[in-house]
Amino acid sequence: MVKIAVAGGSGQIAQEIIDRLVATKQHDILILSRKDLATAEDRVGVTWVKTEYTDKAQLTGILSGVHTVLCFSSAHADARSVAQKMLIDSAVAAGVKRFAPNEWSGSSVEELPWYAEKANVRAYLEEINKEKKVLEYTLFQPGFLVDYLVPPGTANKHIQPSQELWIDFFKRRAIILENGNSEFTVTTVNDIANVVAQAIEYEGEWPKLARGFEVCGKPWDITYLPEDDVRAGDFHGSWVPQFYKEQGLSPEQKEHFSKAILRGVLLSGLCKSWVVSDQWNRLLPDYKFTDAEEFLEKYWAGKD
């Protein structure tokens, strides 16, 4: 049994992993949050603590006795990675053994500018361990979550996609690059949660890198876009997935961000930003990962 601290524990992926860790009944879970707890925590072994990630002495005290820190804070909301670097420094000061930064996506940030801070944190972890290892860490990189492609609430409890994607099983349509050779690694959130739970128990040293369809009967509406047009921001297809539905954005801002994100995800497939290492797959040879095609077929086969 070890004590695990979870930073950003209210996020969807974080909640799935916390549920899996709680189900093992093997660990104490400490959830760090900037917000006050809305409802009383009734899960055995789970406690919450409020922090702004600005006071190293406070954070060091909070992390005293913690074995592993899992971070799920939003990369795009942490300019210059100030909060996550403070968390890392405090973890080292508190004697934390293992740290997992806010990854939980692809292996590269190329063509994905909203993930730029992930690269900064990777560089920082390498820097502090350059002379000697002061903090063991791994990058949990599952690639693209295939759960976002199935009806909400069917495959898991917490993953609730609120944005349209360029692959739309609901309306049987997709946008892909014309003559493109895009590659993506896909993983289910159930596999991610199981791997993290087993990684906590893993007795060896954590590796730095970690892992991570024709299903519907009716024909799909496929929009093919030339790479040059995508790079120029020219989306002349019949639709552009609306990635931003947050309140407070003007229609023009929503259109701008939606096109920017569509450009990023299409081009990132070319440079293999979502193709990830299989190190944890090899370290956990007895674990059988879910086949993506079988997963999608389970939830979509036979549906009109």
Side-chain angles (χ1 to χ4, degrees):
M1 174 181 287
V2 299
K3 187 174 184 180
I4 303 167
V6 180
S10 60
Q12 295 181 7
I13 298 176
Q15 291 181 72
E16 293 286 349
I17 291 174
I18 290 170
D19 283 354
R20 193 60 43 86
L21 293 173
V22 170
T24 68
K25 299 180 180 180
Q26 294 293 316
H27 311 294
D28 292 325
I29 312 296
L30 176 66
I31 301 176
L32 282 61
S33 177
R34 286 188 171 93
K35 301 177 181 179
D36 291 317
L37 187 59
T39 58
E41 176 60 65
D42 59 359
R43 290 174 293 183
V44 176
V46 179
T47 56
W48 289 70
V49 62
K50 185 178 180 180
T51 180
E52 294 294 335
Y53 301 98
T54 57
D55 187 330
K56 182 177 178 181
Q58 182 215 31
L59 264 178
T60 301
I62 289 173
L63 297 177
S64 177
V66 168
H67 179 275
T68 300
V69 174
L70 305 176
C71 185
F72 297 89
S73 58
S74 299
H76 66 275
D78 186 13
R80 299 182 301 281
S81 304
V82 172
Q84 192 163 182
K85 288 179 180 178
M86 177 65 75
L87 183 64
I88 292 169
D89 291 344
S90 301
V92 173
V96 170
K97 177 178 175 61
R98 289 170 166 172
F99 187 89
N102 180 20
E103 287 284 331
W104 317 107
S105 57
S107 60
S108 170
V109 301
E110 188 173 355
E111 301 293 353
L112 302 170
W114 54 91
Y115 284 157
E117 294 301 331
K118 295 180 186 291
N120 291 338
V121 172
R122 295 171 194 171
Y124 188 69
L125 285 166
E126 288 188 11
E127 178 64 26
I128 66 170
N129 285 290
K130 185 167 60 175
E131 299 298 329
K132 70 171 184 176
K133 180 160 292 187
V134 297
L135 184 64
E136 188 176 312
Y137 70 94
T138 194
L139 309 180
F140 286 110
Q141 297 171 338
F144 179 74
L145 282 187
V146 71
D147 298 67
Y148 288 129
L149 301 179
V150 303
T154 56
N156 48 68
K157 181 179 179 181
H158 299 290
I159 301 298
Q160 298 288 330
S162 60
Q163 303 171 155
E164 292 180 332
L165 298 174
W166 70 105
I167 302 173
D168 189 344
F169 274 77
F170 299 92
K171 297 181 180 179
R172 293 179 176 82
R173 59 183 183 175
I175 301 174
I176 61 178
L177 284 176
E178 187 177 274
N179 300 322
N181 186 25
S182 299
E183 293 185 33
F184 289 78
T185 298
V186 296
T187 309
T188 67
V189 73
N190 179 67
D191 284 338
I192 298 171
N194 285 333
V195 166
V196 172
Q198 292 192 37
I200 297 293
E201 301 290 336
Y202 185 69
E203 295 182 356
E205 182 176 324
W206 272 8
K208 288 184 180 180
L209 298 176
R211 187 206 181 180
F213 319 114
E214 181 178 311
V215 180
C216 298
K218 289 188 176 180
W220 279 49
D221 176 16
I222 306 296
T223 299
Y224 295 92
L225 297 177
E227 181 184 340
D228 289 344
D229 288 355
V230 173
R231 292 193 180 279
D234 180 11
F235 300 103
H236 52 267
S238 59
W239 65 291
V240 171
Q242 297 301 298
F243 289 94
Y244 276 80
K245 298 183 179 180
E246 286 86 346
Q247 297 296 324
L249 291 179
S250 69
E252 293 77 15
Q253 289 174 318
K254 291 180 180 179
E255 180 181 8
H256 171 78
F257 285 119
S258 294
K259 288 183 176 180
I261 294 176
L262 178 59
R263 178 187 185 279
V265 295
L266 291 177
L267 296 178
S268 64
L270 289 179
C271 53
K272 301 182 181 180
S273 293
W274 297 91
V275 178
V276 303
S277 165
D278 67 345
Q279 282 191 282
W280 275 113
N281 305 57
R282 289 183 277 112
L283 290 173
L284 303 173
D286 295 331
Y287 183 78
K288 185 180 185 303
F289 283 84
T290 305
D291 179 82
E293 185 171 346
E294 292 176 1
F295 177 82
L296 291 171
E297 186 172 6
K298 177 180 179 180
Y299 295 101
W300 287 113
K303 294 186 181 296
D304 296 328

